[in-house]
């Protein structure tokens, strides 16, 4: 459904059963060996074609699906589903070719060679030419698969998590986010058109625990490629760790799990830059980015002017439908997100916090949350420490006499993904 008008549905899909998830794994494994044999140059050509299809034939369809299904404005959709997705395909192809330039040094009479291949799990098989299962005839069958689990907030991340492992010869079972189904399905279509054979990337919408339970139970699990919440990745990690004995190899886990992006403002900072860039970072796409500014540390010497600037700038932001060109931010992704962010807005009205701008939410038609600025007296407060993933900026005011002590506050947080320092004093 459209997050900005949840009375309108834009796509219908079904969750895969455990049996269907397993079928997808089996289909991927059946395609694995043949895909491994495809030369890297041919794979690169497929990725470059995929990038061209994103930029041309599928560009408007991807943008429209991202606007309608994920609630991005036209500008945000273009940055994500057109520009960044095409960049992922092209950059990955370029750097794959760069990897092939490296070969280890050989010292006569030895010859050292280096070959890139996909992650695999080992099982000895006999070559067709062999008459006996001698040691020299044993090779490793290629059985491993990658489970890719992608988030709603970037169409491009869905395409990248699903396709990047395939570039090096892996096969992928892809679980898209329930709230990005349509745009991600379009990516699957363009990958097919780019030449990806059946089974190389399998598109499997599923309930999270069902999908995670089946893939982590498979002895052929070679890796998990994940972007999403900390609790979900912790759960996947625990499931994998508890089943280590059953795997044919050690699965590789790659996870990017959100953040609590900070802006640290030095007393020498340019105030106009602080205001403009903090507003943009905190409230574009309603703060639904792990890199969105969620906490700011501002010295008391310039805080009155920065506060005035933030409050005035917030008044100029249009909260509305992404189908209207002048909308700056729109609804958050779904009811669950709306309710969670609303609970933080209630928290922001408790002692120790002061709402300076915004502070309300309305989910009657769309899941709308006002861009909100909150001054928080305690740097250890939950508003400052927890990932809200919404248009809420928490500000901590510190003494301009001791910016080093304030810097120490920045790292007293469980997240360390991104941050920025504003200063004119080197």
């Amino acid at each position: 459904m459209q997050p900005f008008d949840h009375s309108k549905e834009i796509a219908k899909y079904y969750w895969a059963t455990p049996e269907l998830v397993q079928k997808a794994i089996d289909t991927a494994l059946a395609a694995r060996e043949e895909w491994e044999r495809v030369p890297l140059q041919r794979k690169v050509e497929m990725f470059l074609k995929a990038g061209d299809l994103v930029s041309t034939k599928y560009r408007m369809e991807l943008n429209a699906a991202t606007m309608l299904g994920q609630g991005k404005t036209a500008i945000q959709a273009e940055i994500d589903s057109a520009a960044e997705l095409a960049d992922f395909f092209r950059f990955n192809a370029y750097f794959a070719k760069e990897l092939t330039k490296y070969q280890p040094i050989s010292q006569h009479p030895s010859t050292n060679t280096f070959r890139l291949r996909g992650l695999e799990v080992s099982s000895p098989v006999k070559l067709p030419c062999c008459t006996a299962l001698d040691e020299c005839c044993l090779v490793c069958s290629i059985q491993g698969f990658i489970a890719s689990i992608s988030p709603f907030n970037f169409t491009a991340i869905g395409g990248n998590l699903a396709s990047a492992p395939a570039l090096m010869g892996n096969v992928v079972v892809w679980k898209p986010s329930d709230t990005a189904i349509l745009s991600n399905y379009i990516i699957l279509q363009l990958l097919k058109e780019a030449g990806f054979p059946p089974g190389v990337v399998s598109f499997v919408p599923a309930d999270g625990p069902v999908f995670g339970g089946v893939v982590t139970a498979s002895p052929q699990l070679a890796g998990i490629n994940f972007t999403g919440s900390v609790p979900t990745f912790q759960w996947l990690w625990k499931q994998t760790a508890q089943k280590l004995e059953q795997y044919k190899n050690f699965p590789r886990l790659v996870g990017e799990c959100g953040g609590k992006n900070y802006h640290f403002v030095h007393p020498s900072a340019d105030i106009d830059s602080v205001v403009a860039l903090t507003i943009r970072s905190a409230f574009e796409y309603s703060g639904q980015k792990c890199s969105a500014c969620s906490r700011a540390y501002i010295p008391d010497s310039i805080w009155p002017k920065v506060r005035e600037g933030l409050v005035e700038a917030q008044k100029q932001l249009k909260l509305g439908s992404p189908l209207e060109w002048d909308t700056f931010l729109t609804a958050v992704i779904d009811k669950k997100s709306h309710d969670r962010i609303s609970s933080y807005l209630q928290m922001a009205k408790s002692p120790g916090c002061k709402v300076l701008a915004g502070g309300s939410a309305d989910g009657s038609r769309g899941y709308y949350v006002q861009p909100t600025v909150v001054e928080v007296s305690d740097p250890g407060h939950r508003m400052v420490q927890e990932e809200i993933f919404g248009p809420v900026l928490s500000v901590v005011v510190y003494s301009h006499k001791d910016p080093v002590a304030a810097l120490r506050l920045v790292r007293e947080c469980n997240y360390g993904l991104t941050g920025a320092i504003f200063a004119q004093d080197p």
Side-chain angles (χ1 to χ4, degrees):
M1 63 183 66
Q2 297 177 351
F4 53 94
D5 185 354
H6 44 66
S7 67
K8 296 182 179 179
E9 297 180 352
I10 62 167
K12 187 175 183 179
Y13 69 95
Y14 298 91
W15 272 347
T17 61
E19 293 76 19
L20 195 55
V21 177
Q22 184 59 52
K23 184 178 180 180
I25 294 172
D26 296 339
T27 301
L29 294 174
R32 174 67 168 82
E33 191 167 350
E34 190 63 33
W35 178 243
E36 175 75 21
R37 292 194 180 105
V38 175
L40 179 60
Q41 181 56 40
R42 175 66 186 121
K43 294 188 179 85
V44 165
E45 290 169 1
M46 294 179 195
F47 271 73
L48 293 177
K49 183 176 180 180
D52 290 342
L53 288 171
V54 170
S55 300
T56 54
K57 179 178 178 180
Y58 288 90
R59 187 182 200 125
M60 293 300 103
E61 192 174 358
L62 282 165
N63 281 350
T66 302
M67 292 172 68
L68 294 173
Q70 290 139 270
K72 290 203 170 185
T73 63
I75 293 173
Q76 291 288 299
E78 170 70 10
I79 291 169
D80 169 16
S81 56
E84 188 171 6
L85 180 55
D87 282 349
F88 273 136
F89 289 139
R90 292 167 179 157
F91 286 177
N92 290 344
Y94 172 80
F95 286 110
K97 289 193 295 183
E98 288 294 297
L99 287 173
T100 64
K101 294 179 179 179
Y102 168 79
Q103 283 296 330
I105 296 172
S106 293
Q107 195 75 18
H108 182 76
S110 299
T111 300
N112 300 317
T113 60
F114 179 79
R115 183 171 69 88
L116 296 162
R117 64 179 190 270
L119 301 178
E120 60 194 39
V121 295
S122 302
S123 179
V125 297
K126 190 177 77 168
L127 291 172
C129 60
C130 296
T131 57
L133 203 60
D134 298 323
E135 185 178 352
C136 63
C137 295
L138 292 179
V139 296
C140 290
S141 65
I142 301 170
Q143 298 179 336
F145 74 95
I146 305 294
S148 288
I149 303 169
S150 58
F152 77 86
N153 59 333
F154 282 94
T155 300
I157 293 180
N160 186 50
L161 292 191
S163 66
L167 181 56
M168 303 313 298
N170 297 287
V171 288
V172 179
V173 180
W174 175 23
K175 181 204 170 302
S177 168
D178 291 348
T179 44
I181 292 289
L182 182 58
S183 64
N184 287 190
Y185 183 72
I186 294 169
I187 294 172
L188 179 71
Q189 304 312 306
L190 75 85
L191 290 177
K192 290 180 179 178
E193 188 169 335
F196 281 59
V200 172
V201 175
S202 298
F203 184 84
V204 190
D207 178 47
V210 169
F211 182 87
V214 176
V215 298
T216 58
S218 173
Q220 284 82 23
L221 179 65
I224 295 176
N225 203 15
F226 174 88
T227 295
S229 72
V230 170
T232 300
F233 193 56
Q234 288 174 334
W235 183 85
L236 287 166
W237 195 300
K238 290 175 183 176
Q239 291 294 308
T240 305
Q242 290 168 2
K243 301 169 183 176
L244 279 181
E245 292 83 1
Q246 73 181 35
Y247 299 125
K248 294 183 179 296
N249 205 336
F250 292 106
R252 281 74 157 176
L253 275 68
V254 178
E256 193 271 284
C257 298
K260 189 71 174 174
N261 179 24
Y262 69 85
H263 281 186
F264 181 81
V265 180
H266 188 264
S268 67
D270 177 75
I271 292 174
D272 290 341
S273 295
V274 171
V275 171
L277 297 178
T278 301
I279 286 286
R280 181 169 292 277
S281 178
F283 300 138
E284 276 188 334
Y285 194 41
S286 295
Q288 296 176 117
K289 304 177 185 180
C290 51
S291 58
C293 180
S294 185
R295 54 187 174 127
Y297 300 83
I298 303 174
D300 52 12
S301 57
I302 62 171
W303 170 233
K305 291 184 178 180
V306 174
R307 177 181 57 206
E308 180 183 0
L310 292 174
V311 171
E312 288 303 312
Q314 188 270 359
K315 293 177 183 177
Q316 308 304 314
L317 304 180
K318 179 180 176 180
L319 173 64
S321 167
L323 306 183
E324 298 170 2
W325 181 253
D326 58 343
T327 292
F328 184 84
L329 74 162
T330 182
V332 297
I333 192 66
D334 58 16
K335 185 178 187 300
K336 181 179 178 181
S337 179
H338 182 269
D339 292 347
R340 186 188 68 254
I341 299 166
S342 296
S343 71
Y344 281 98
L345 296 183
Q346 287 300 116
M347 190 187 303
K349 297 169 184 175
S350 62
C353 300
K354 182 180 180 181
V355 177
L356 304 178
S360 65
D362 181 2
S364 57
R365 181 179 180 184
Y367 302 115
Y368 288 101
V369 179
Q370 284 188 335
T372 300
V373 181
V374 184
E375 184 178 352
V376 183
S377 59
D378 178 12
H381 196 282
R382 289 177 59 193
M383 296 291 297
V384 182
Q385 297 295 319
E386 297 178 4
E387 185 179 37
I388 301 173
F389 221 66
V392 182
L393 170 67
S394 299
V395 177
V396 174
V397 180
Y398 70 87
S399 170
H400 71 280
K401 297 178 181 179
D402 197 354
V404 174
L407 270 172
R408 294 192 184 102
L409 297 176
V410 173
R411 67 184 182 188
E412 292 176 3
C413 181
N414 288 329
Y415 294 93
L417 184 68
T418 55
I421 295 175
F422 291 80
Q424 295 184 94
D425 179 350

